Amino acid sequence: MHTVHKAALAAVGLLASLCVPGVTHTAQATAAGTATATPDHPAALTRYYDQRPAWHRCDKHHTVAYQCAHITVPLDYNRPTGPTLRLKISRIRTSTPGRRHGVLLSDPGGPGAPGLDEPLRMKADLSKIVKERYDLVGFDPRGLATSSPLHCGLTWGEVSPMLHPYRAATFAKDTARARDIAAKCTARNSAVLPYINTRNTARDMDVIRGVLGEKKISYFGLSYGTYLGAVYTQLFPERSDRVVLDSAVDPNHFGRGAMQAWATGTEPAFRDWSRLIARRDGTYHLGDTAAKVRDTFRRLVTRADRTPLLYEGKDVEHQGMTLTGADIRDWLREEFFNAPYQAAREIVTLRKSETARPDPSSDGGRAASVGDNTTGLLWAVLCGDNSATWPRDPATYRSDARRDSARYPLYGDFAANITPCAFWPRGSEPATHVDNTVGALVVQNQWDSQTPLTEGLAMHRALHGSRLVYVRGGRGHGVYGIPGTPACATRAVDAYLVGGRLPAHDVTCHA
């Protein structure tokens, strides 16, 4: 799952609203159609499925083939005549006449990653033989960016960092921060928040399918987008065509479980990293055994927690920053998975750093619109999708953080500490249990910081008709279309998207 560490700097357009932020009323919806049911959907939803969007060039900075349109969807699918949301969708028609199979819809993850530009990304990254078969389609999910965006009025300190390490001395402050974020988002969006969830976004996807005139839809999802795709297969199995889920989450432990997986997955990656660096002691001098390398890192963390270090290395994001041991753990966690030698170089730099005074505490003022929106949307989905996974008593988080700090020393206290979900309004419906036989291709690296291998394997088990493409030794978040991806994995995905047949057996590729 992609994390939101800091806000984007660009602004996105806001959609007009009426009465409720981000919501229009059905009377304003421009939807054509009759009141009779079709085999695709209930009669009450016909006005949405029968929309005829007005396609137009998305912007002057991209090709004219990159088209955008707005559609209307119900805020609550159980009340189709009630308030509505306005979604923005996009497409690039790249299929070849005579070879066209349909449309390929994509979601880049998050939750909180806009998807309107996905057709541009897919056009650049997909193999030619795949693009011949599909028109490429993207969308900003409900509540995000150009699709009736949420806004909470958060400060920079409430936007970033997303997670905080557990400390007895700061737990009361962490609890107050979490409560304030939930209160701000609820105050501005109380009528909307219960319906900003993956289940409704999957229903929106099916409206997009109907609006495009397709009987079935093919889908490529990355990270959180794999969960969205899995939920779609559960709700609409007969409408699911060729489904690729790249770097998957465990669909039946989404919510707090997805966050805690970062901690459990980090420990084996840290051990693997330490073995790798010990074999290069002549270069990094961090220890000639894995145990010594790990001890070197722990001593660095202890030193920085005692007296923060001034970082003066080459990493632009951290240049000039004063880093505690917790900051170092949070920063280098992903590097242990994705860039082991870069992590070693940064540790060498940090060991030479001078001590510095901690930065004065400041929330930095009001966050930019984009950061406020993506953070609010992220918590809305994480908290609301599976409310039952989030305890309501702060004391439970304190106890869990202490326990997980001992079990998973590198990141357990971050992943178990209190979040706004402790105070978030409960979702409008229970979590979706994914358990079906829809065909899907699950693609997974061995070392993935955001969706560890155990998550991808759990997705494979939940989708009984799926096949797994496993990249042994693969590093990083995302496999298909990424530079350096083994040809074995690319061929497997291409063959499925082009021909529609899953491999006869699970496939193991080597990085």
Side-chain angles (χ1 to χ4, degrees):
M1 185 172 61
H2 291 310
T3 56
V4 179
H5 292 294
K6 53 187 178 295
L9 298 178
V12 295
L14 304 182
L15 297 178
S17 61
L18 181 63
C19 297
V20 179
V23 179
T24 59
H25 287 277
T26 303
Q28 273 71 40
T30 55
T34 66
T36 58
T38 73
D40 298 64
H41 55 266
L45 296 175
T46 295
R47 71 184 70 186
Y48 301 105
Y49 279 84
D50 281 2
Q51 293 174 86
R52 297 295 178 263
W55 292 99
H56 59 274
R57 185 176 184 177
C58 290
D59 61 66
K60 64 181 180 181
H61 302 293
H62 295 104
T63 172
V64 68
Y66 176 43
Q67 299 179 313
C68 289
H70 288 95
I71 65 169
T72 303
V73 295
L75 173 66
D76 178 2
Y77 277 83
N78 289 320
R79 293 189 299 143
T81 60
T84 62
L85 298 173
R86 196 174 184 225
L87 306 187
K88 194 168 185 179
I89 61 176
S90 59
R91 72 179 181 187
I92 298 179
R93 287 176 163 172
T94 66
S95 57
T96 301
R99 296 188 178 183
R100 184 185 188 275
H101 176 73
V103 301
L104 182 62
L105 180 67
S106 179
D107 181 89
L116 200 66
D117 288 349
E118 279 297 281
L120 294 170
R121 182 197 64 77
M122 288 193 287
K123 188 174 189 295
D125 293 346
L126 293 181
S127 302
K128 180 176 181 292
I129 56 173
V130 175
K131 289 182 286 189
E132 289 178 341
R133 265 68 174 187
Y134 296 95
D135 295 335
L136 310 176
V137 178
F139 72 114
D140 283 341
R142 57 170 55 204
L144 182 64
T146 62
S147 292
S148 302
L150 298 175
H151 288 286
C152 300
L154 303 178
T155 66
W156 281 113
E158 291 167 332
V159 165
S160 180
M162 175 186 170
L163 301 179
H164 289 244
Y166 172 77
R167 294 288 184 273
T170 60
F171 184 71
K173 181 179 178 181
D174 294 340
T175 300
R177 174 182 178 272
R179 183 183 286 110
D180 288 347
I181 292 172
K184 287 181 178 181
C185 289
T186 302
R188 292 193 176 203
N189 308 281
S190 60
V192 178
L193 284 185
Y195 307 99
I196 303 298
N197 56 44
T198 304
R199 197 176 181 99
N200 279 330
T201 300
R203 292 172 176 132
D204 295 342
M205 284 169 51
D206 200 59
V207 171
I208 293 171
R209 174 197 62 76
V211 166
L212 295 174
E214 302 291 329
K215 290 296 183 183
K216 291 187 174 185
I217 199 162
S218 294
Y219 177 80
F220 182 94
L222 174 68
S223 193
Y224 160 77
T226 65
Y227 176 58
L228 174 59
V231 170
Y232 184 85
T233 67
Q234 190 67 32
L235 298 182
F236 304 99
E238 73 285 356
R239 301 298 170 196
S240 302
D241 197 1
R242 301 169 188 179
V243 178
V244 178
L245 306 177
D246 188 334
S247 305
V249 302
D250 180 345
N252 292 320
H253 287 90
F254 187 76
R256 197 181 186 205
M259 192 169 291
Q260 290 176 307
W262 294 342
T264 58
T266 296
E267 295 302 321
F270 182 52
R271 291 192 296 270
D272 179 74
W273 170 82
S274 67
R275 289 190 292 267
L276 192 66
I277 300 307
R279 294 200 292 267
R280 288 158 179 80
D281 186 50
T283 300
Y284 302 111
H285 309 292
L286 298 180
D288 58 7
T289 68
K292 289 179 181 178
V293 172
R294 292 193 292 271
D295 285 343
T296 298
F297 178 74
R298 291 171 183 139
R299 286 195 299 271
L300 174 68
V301 167
T302 299
R303 174 191 166 200
D305 273 334
R306 185 169 56 248
T307 309
L309 303 176
L310 178 64
Y311 176 76
E312 296 179 303
K314 296 181 180 180
D315 185 87
V316 175
E317 182 182 338
H318 294 89
Q319 276 180 354
M321 289 184 62
T322 299
L323 302 177
T324 66
D327 294 330
I328 293 169
R329 287 189 290 125
D330 190 30
W331 169 23
L332 295 184
R333 181 190 75 84
E334 293 184 34
E335 304 301 319
F336 292 140
F337 288 86
N338 304 339
Y341 301 122
Q342 179 64 27
R345 288 191 291 270
E346 297 299 356
I347 291 170
V348 170
T349 298
L350 287 164
R351 293 180 76 197
K352 299 175 182 177
S353 297
E354 297 181 359
T355 59
R357 292 181 179 274
D359 292 333
S361 177
S362 172
D363 67 8
R366 184 68 64 86
S369 176
V370 173
D372 178 49
N373 172 226
T374 56
T375 301
L377 188 282
L378 179 143
W379 289 124
V381 175
L382 273 179
C383 303
D385 258 31
N386 195 351
S387 300
T389 66
W390 298 100
R392 312 303 283 188
D393 183 358
T396 303
Y397 292 90
R398 180 193 292 113
S399 175
D400 290 352
R402 288 172 174 168
R403 177 200 66 204
D404 284 5
S405 182
R407 287 180 177 176
Y408 316 113
L410 202 63
Y411 209 69
D413 57 325
F414 279 90
N417 200 11
I418 195 163
T419 75
C421 298
F423 309 103
W424 207 264
R426 295 195 180 278
S428 59
E429 53 191 322
T432 305
H433 181 68
V434 175
D435 181 17
N436 64 61
T437 59
V438 172
L441 195 63
V442 180
V443 189
Q444 186 73 36
N445 274 330
Q446 181 178 5
W447 301 112
D448 186 325
S449 60
Q450 306 307 96
T451 55
L453 178 59
T454 53
E455 297 279 287
L457 296 177
M459 176 68 82
H460 182 31
R461 289 193 299 270
L463 297 174
H464 309 300
S466 68
R467 290 287 184 269
L468 176 70
V469 176
Y470 168 55
V471 183
R472 187 184 302 278
R475 293 188 177 275
H477 189 50
V479 179
Y480 182 72
I482 304 296
T485 293
C488 162
T490 300
R491 285 195 302 267
V493 176
D494 285 350
Y496 173 54
L497 288 175
V498 171
R501 290 193 176 187
L502 289 165
H505 307 283
D506 291 346
V507 177
T508 297
C509 303
H510 296 272

